[in-house]
Amino acid sequence: MTAYLLEKAWVDGAVREAVRVEIEDGVFTSVEPDARRTATPLRGLTLPGFANTHSHAFHRALRGRTQRGSGTFWTWREQMYDAAARLDPDNYFALARATYAEMLAAGYTSVSEFHYVHHQPDGTPYDDPNALGHALVAAAEATGIRLTLLDTCYLAGGIGQPVAGSQVRFTDGDADRWAERVAAIRHDRVGGAIHSVRAVPREQMPTVVAALRGRPLHAHVSEQPAENEACLAAYGLTPTGVLAEAGALGPDATAVHATHLTDADIALLAATDTEVSLCPTTERDLGDGIGPARQLADAGVRITIGSDSQAVVDPFEEVRAWEMDERLGSISRGRFSASDLLARTTGRIAVGEPGDLVTIDLASPRTAGTGADEHTAVFAATSADVTHVVAGGRPVFDGDHARIGRDLGAAIDGVWR
Amino acid sequence: MTAYLLEKAWVDGAVREAVRVEIEDGVFTSVEPDARRTATPLRGLTLPGFANTHSHAFHRALRGRTQRGSGTFWTWREQMYDAAARLDPDNYFALARATYAEMLAAGYTSVSEFHYVHHQPDGTPYDDPNALGHALVAAAEATGIRLTLLDTCYLAGGIGQPVAGSQVRFTDGDADRWAERVAAIRHDRVGGAIHSVRAVPREQMPTVVAALRGRPLHAHVSEQPAENEACLAAYGLTPTGVLAEAGALGPDATAVHATHLTDADIALLAATDTEVSLCPTTERDLGDGIGPARQLADAGVRITIGSDSQAVVDPFEEVRAWEMDERLGSISRGRFSASDLLARTTGRIAVGEPGDLVTIDLASPRTAGTGADEHTAVFAATSADVTHVVAGGRPVFDGDHARIGRDLGAAIDGVWR
């Protein structure tokens, strides 16, 4: 049993003082505000951990390096493929370990990894056909982040187009062979993904859905107008419509980005209780546009955040970007309350929930004088203000941001050398 | 004479190694890349200082505190007036000193302060009618930031409306009395401002323009659609049009925000060589909308950044917000190059220029592995990565971010207690 005494903590939607928590076997067994008994003190404001619902760990090697000249999502993708071509099980392990450590130090205690680089550079499977997936699992175990490995089905280079270039590393040939490989992954939280309506032919989708049965199923959906246009031209349906017909929407499903949706798409997501993962800092970076966060929430859709391309790994900035871009789109403030934003993007400090704690400094240049409550977390803090992180009862970050940077530098050198 | 050896520095639009600089009497007297001689080393990437072209220092007391419930720019303004009502020369000095120290530690080495709280809470002048302006001057001198004090003319509560509430602290009655007071300010960089077309009657504007003759003249312009509508209804002209007719545009003039402009407005700003101060993190926060940065630049208008409401004091984030919001508005990337963004928002490390240096850590969780050039500065760094700042040859920040936070906390407590 581990016990902490939290100077201030966001519990049940409000900031409470002197919260004593006990964690056993990774979950909270006691949460007591205004506690009199002592425990290991955590000074500052403690939040539950943020959930990162969309990550491509290896994109961390691209930060700052894909910004030369002008371009679009599609030219950025070419640069991303260069990085994908350089991955091997060793450098991928090192990069993912450093990136997951960055996530933990920023306040994310769980991550859903949308993993699509499966095979050797020429497309041949590794001796362990899940060598790269297992590198991600090992990286998560080494750092303490709670990983859901979303093994991604990727079969085509576009609707009706074969894979090409780096994409040969992504494909298993067909969905049956994808499912066979996925069944051999050794990890206790394995889900899957339909990369997109571009990369999985419509007739292959039901096989993916059937193989997952009740496990998480994610898909990139309507990130770009061009994807919608191609999908409508080929199938006469939007990407959301195609996924719905394939049975790929539902309470275990997550639509990622969901930037350019029709009203009918939003109604479909709501009717099927499909979650949406918004990735606003990536959507800014890639020029995707502003997603319909408020409209989705009003329709009853569960909306969450993902660090996606790792252009930014900072849940505070991510949540703020969501609200700020809503304001830019609507020309009004307070589109979501601070507590609503946190409730949608974090776990809970409550008995029976995972024992995750993220503590921020209330006296930094950013946070000083800002009220020391949930508004400080959402409207002032950044990842640089995180001083201590516990994931599943395990202390995973002690405030040494410099160590995180050193490991990232070495791991990224290992990709580009 | 002070000399530094910069490990990497952004000089003449590119990152160069081993740059040795000498500073005398506040300006660079030598700048030598690939230097062999030694000097005080600054490790990391060194940039020229950023120029903050629009600041209301006391708004720093509002960060995190104006985010309850929903609302608009106009409801936010009511909360801002609460803070304005609490200022006195002592707490304003302390707050401005802490805020200017935050700016320096974030990488801003100069600030244009748009100062409009002039008188006692009941509107009576202080014994020194510039007591509050002089508090700002003293705060700047205490910290080492290069202050341009823009004493702001504020005479009306709206077009055709008298001042009310906290606004009695802002008004001098008419522009002649404003000019008389401003003439008594003891500071070597005094400019002025027409608060807005709302707060200065059209017929008073030429008096302000004449009093300033060749000194900086700023004005809030078209931050909100409602301002445009009221101006058109009253005058049959846009705010830019009204300022142009009053002779308030020109090479010494700066239009602040300039968010909702017509094509004719942009042509007028370009034809008069008027500068624009964009404040994207504030414009996000207040739900103002996305300003036409690329369109202004294409028209030849000089565009700069301001921290304005201090919702964010981080020139890296401000510059990034400008580019990211351009991307969101246009759905394309690379709207400005990194070097262009830096050139528009910083000084220059060049002989004869102010001796300002801002050094960032290249191995932080944000910057590690990002290429160590101008793209790292624009697309990865934040104010938390600043390790050393020199302003006019004077070392003004040594990396102790915790001290900056402590001073802010105490100063803001002094306003709200």
Side-chain angles (χ1 to χ4, degrees):
Chain A
M1 192 272 284
T2 318
Y4 292 98
L5 184 63
L6 316 175
E7 185 189 11
K8 291 172 181 277
W10 186 76
V11 176
D12 291 340
V15 170
R16 293 162 203 276
E17 312 272 328
V19 179
R20 190 176 183 282
V21 298
E22 295 182 2
I23 307 174
E24 277 188 77
D25 294 333
V27 301
F28 291 113
T29 51
S30 169
V31 176
E32 181 192 2
D34 303 313
R36 306 235 173 145
R37 282 196 300 161
T38 189
T40 305
L42 290 177
R43 285 188 57 81
L45 172 62
T46 298
L47 307 168
F50 287 90
N52 186 351
T53 62
H54 189 62
S55 161
H56 304 290
F58 81 88
H59 292 196
R60 178 60 180 83
L62 299 166
R63 187 188 300 168
R65 295 172 185 264
T66 63
Q67 304 284 359
R68 284 170 178 74
S70 61
T72 64
F73 169 86
W74 308 100
T75 53
W76 168 85
R77 196 178 66 153
E78 291 305 312
Q79 300 172 293
M80 181 268 284
Y81 285 171
D82 282 351
R86 292 166 178 270
L87 298 176
D88 62 45
D90 290 338
N91 69 18
Y92 202 6
F93 167 74
L95 177 56
R97 183 177 58 177
T99 302
Y100 292 156
E102 183 184 7
M103 287 181 195
L104 284 166
Y108 289 117
T109 51
S110 69
V111 61
S112 295
E113 176 71 27
F114 198 106
H115 165 57
Y116 57 84
V117 185
H118 303 305
H119 304 300
Q120 297 189 58
D122 66 355
T124 315
Y126 286 100
D127 290 345
D128 169 7
N130 289 303
L132 292 171
H134 286 143
L136 293 165
V137 170
E141 284 171 359
T143 59
I145 201 165
R146 207 156 47 249
L147 169 73
T148 299
L149 183 64
L150 302 168
D151 193 293
T152 301
C153 186
Y154 194 114
L155 305 173
I159 297 174
Q161 291 169 30
V163 293
S166 297
Q167 295 169 343
V168 301
R169 304 194 70 173
F170 310 165
T171 183
D172 293 290
D174 61 38
D176 284 317
R177 277 177 283 177
W178 167 82
E180 190 182 336
R181 181 177 54 70
V182 172
I185 299 174
R186 297 180 305 274
H187 184 54
D188 55 356
R189 281 180 303 276
V190 176
I194 291 170
H195 178 279
S196 58
V197 295
R198 292 179 274 121
V200 179
R202 187 182 188 177
E203 68 277 9
Q204 298 281 326
M205 291 181 187
T207 306
V208 178
V209 173
L212 291 169
R213 305 182 204 84
R215 289 188 287 168
L217 167 58
H218 289 222
H220 289 133
V221 175
S222 296
E223 180 172 5
Q224 284 283 327
E227 174 188 321
N228 285 354
E229 290 155 20
C231 189
L232 280 165
Y235 297 135
L237 289 168
T238 63
T240 303
V242 169
L243 291 167
E245 289 223 341
L249 302 184
D252 300 310
T254 298
V256 178
H257 298 300
T259 307
H260 299 282
L261 299 180
T262 65
D263 289 349
D265 291 339
I266 292 173
L268 260 177
L269 294 170
T272 53
D273 194 22
T274 300
E275 179 183 89
V276 164
S277 175
L278 303 167
C279 309
T281 67
T282 293
E283 289 144 13
R284 283 177 180 170
D285 186 73
L286 296 182
D288 292 336
I290 300 174
R294 184 69 258 172
Q295 206 186 337
L296 285 162
D298 288 343
V301 176
R302 291 171 288 131
I303 48 180
T304 63
I305 53 167
S307 67
D308 189 7
S309 70
Q310 328 298 357
V312 172
V313 172
D314 183 340
F316 302 93
E317 180 63 20
E318 205 71 51
V319 166
R320 192 158 47 240
W322 166 353
E323 169 67 16
M324 292 298 146
D325 292 350
E326 266 290 320
R327 294 183 185 187
L328 285 177
S330 66
I331 313 200
S332 66
R333 306 183 88 217
R335 301 286 289 173
F336 292 88
S337 72
S339 272
D340 189 13
L341 288 164
L342 291 178
R344 290 175 185 275
T345 55
T346 68
R348 291 169 56 220
I349 299 176
V351 171
E353 297 291 319
D356 298 355
L357 299 169
V358 173
T359 306
I360 60 172
D361 179 6
L362 292 171
S364 83
R366 293 162 292 280
T367 59
T370 62
D373 60 18
E374 67 273 21
H375 300 87
T376 293
V378 170
F379 295 105
T382 74
S383 59
D385 298 317
V386 175
T387 58
H388 204 275
V389 179
V390 173
R394 173 178 165 188
V396 291
F397 180 64
D398 64 357
D400 185 358
H401 292 274
R403 179 182 60 80
I404 304 293
R406 280 194 302 276
D407 289 351
L408 282 163
I412 294 169
D413 282 351
V415 173
W416 293 115
R417 81 158 53 94
Chain B
M1 193 273 285
T2 317
Y4 293 97
L5 184 62
L6 315 175
E7 184 190 11
K8 291 171 181 279
W10 187 76
V11 176
D12 290 341
V15 170
R16 294 163 202 275
E17 312 273 329
V19 179
R20 191 176 183 282
V21 298
E22 295 182 0
I23 306 173
E24 276 189 77
D25 295 332
V27 301
F28 292 113
T29 51
S30 169
V31 175
E32 182 192 1
D34 303 314
R36 307 236 174 147
R37 281 195 301 161
T38 190
T40 306
L42 289 177
R43 285 189 56 81
L45 173 62
T46 298
L47 307 169
F50 287 90
N52 186 351
T53 62
H54 189 62
S55 161
H56 305 290
F58 81 90
H59 291 196
R60 178 59 181 85
L62 299 166
R63 187 189 300 168
R65 295 173 185 263
T66 62
Q67 304 285 359
R68 284 170 177 75
S70 62
T72 65
F73 169 87
W74 308 101
T75 53
W76 169 86
R77 195 177 69 155
E78 292 305 313
Q79 300 173 292
M80 180 269 283
Y81 285 170
D82 281 351
R86 292 166 178 270
L87 298 176
D88 63 45
D90 290 338
N91 69 17
Y92 203 7
F93 167 74
L95 177 56
R97 182 177 58 176
T99 302
Y100 292 157
E102 183 184 7
M103 289 180 193
L104 284 165
Y108 289 116
T109 51
S110 70
V111 61
S112 295
E113 176 71 27
F114 198 106
H115 165 57
Y116 56 86
V117 185
H118 303 305
H119 305 298
Q120 297 189 58
D122 66 355
T124 315
Y126 286 100
D127 289 347
D128 169 7
N130 289 302
L132 292 171
H134 286 143
L136 292 166
V137 170
E141 285 171 358
T143 59
I145 203 165
R146 207 156 48 249
L147 170 73
T148 299
L149 183 64
L150 302 168
D151 193 295
T152 301
C153 185
Y154 194 115
L155 305 171
I159 297 173
Q161 292 170 29
V163 293
S166 297
Q167 295 168 343
V168 301
R169 302 195 72 173
F170 310 163
T171 183
D172 293 290
D174 62 38
D176 284 318
R177 277 177 283 178
W178 168 83
E180 189 181 336
R181 182 177 54 71
V182 171
I185 298 174
R186 299 181 303 275
H187 183 54
D188 55 358
R189 281 180 304 275
V190 176
I194 290 170
H195 178 278
S196 58
V197 295
R198 293 178 275 121
V200 179
R202 187 182 188 175
E203 68 277 10
Q204 298 282 326
M205 291 181 187
T207 306
V208 177
V209 173
L212 291 169
R213 307 183 204 79
R215 289 188 288 168
L217 167 58
H218 290 222
H220 289 132
V221 175
S222 296
E223 181 173 5
Q224 284 284 326
E227 173 187 321
N228 284 355
E229 292 155 19
C231 188
L232 281 165
Y235 298 135
L237 289 168
T238 62
T240 302
V242 169
L243 291 167
E245 288 223 342
L249 302 183
D252 299 310
T254 298
V256 178
H257 299 299
T259 306
H260 299 281
L261 299 180
T262 65
D263 289 348
D265 290 339
I266 292 173
L268 259 177
L269 294 169
T272 54
D273 193 21
T274 299
E275 179 183 87
V276 165
S277 175
L278 303 167
C279 309
T281 67
T282 293
E283 288 144 13
R284 285 177 179 171
D285 186 72
L286 296 182
D288 291 338
I290 301 173
R294 185 68 259 173
Q295 205 186 338
L296 285 162
D298 288 343
V301 176
R302 291 172 288 131
I303 48 181
T304 64
I305 53 168
S307 66
D308 189 7
S309 70
Q310 327 299 357
V312 172
V313 173
D314 182 341
F316 302 93
E317 179 63 21
E318 204 72 51
V319 166
R320 192 157 48 240
W322 165 354
E323 169 67 16
M324 292 297 145
D325 292 350
E326 265 290 321
R327 294 184 184 188
L328 286 177
S330 66
I331 315 202
S332 65
R333 307 182 87 217
R335 302 285 289 174
F336 293 87
S337 73
S339 272
D340 190 12
L341 288 165
L342 292 178
R344 291 176 185 275
T345 55
T346 68
R348 289 169 58 220
I349 299 176
V351 171
E353 297 292 319
D356 297 356
L357 299 169
V358 173
T359 305
I360 60 172
D361 179 6
L362 292 171
S364 83
R366 293 162 292 280
T367 59
T370 62
D373 61 17
E374 67 273 20
H375 300 88
T376 293
V378 171
F379 294 105
T382 73
S383 59
D385 298 317
V386 175
T387 57
H388 203 274
V389 179
V390 172
R394 172 178 166 187
V396 291
F397 180 64
D398 63 357
D400 186 357
H401 292 275
R403 180 181 60 80
I404 304 293
R406 280 194 301 275
D407 289 350
L408 281 162
I412 294 168
D413 282 351
V415 173
W416 293 114
R417 80 158 54 95

